[in-house]
Amino acid sequence: MRLSELTKAPLAITAAAGVCDLSQGTYFTLQVNGGGAMFIVNAPPDVMMFDVEVNHIGGVLTYPSNVRWVGGIAPQNLQAGKIHCMSFRRPQSTGADQWIGSYLPNC
């Protein structure tokens, strides 16, 4: 594999209806306008991390219950008109379908 192939950004997949289908890829874009929910589906055993870029137009975004957030607090007070970058990692130690979420708000 060439270095140029290793440094290319992953193809962003639109998370239609808030669904992050991990069998399709690991980088998603999600537009929130008037509220919505995010879902994580079809996670292959070898997918340990994925990212979501949220374009927040307005409303509230809710998250799956199997996400534990760094600091114990899910993203709050996300400003409309901003991009929010979220990363999710599957912990090896639990053996369960859990994710640890972190985020960079209001970019």
Side-chain angles (χ1 to χ4, degrees), residues 72-95:
I73 300 172
Q76 299 179 25
N77 302 319
L78 301 179
Q79 293 179 11
K82 300 284 186 172
I83 300 292
H84 313 287
C85 300
M86 301 181 184
S87 293
F88 300 87
R89 180 176 186 91
R90 187 188 318 213
Q92 294 269 329
S93 59
T94 64

Side-chain angles (χ1 to χ4, degrees), residues 37-63:
M38 187 180 103
F39 304 94
I40 303 167
V41 300
N42 299 327
D46 62 336
V47 172
M48 303 309 295
M49 299 170 59
F50 72 98
D51 296 299
V52 180
E53 182 180 300
V54 178
N55 179 3
H56 188 217
I57 297 169
V60 175
L61 178 61
T62 57
Y63 308 96

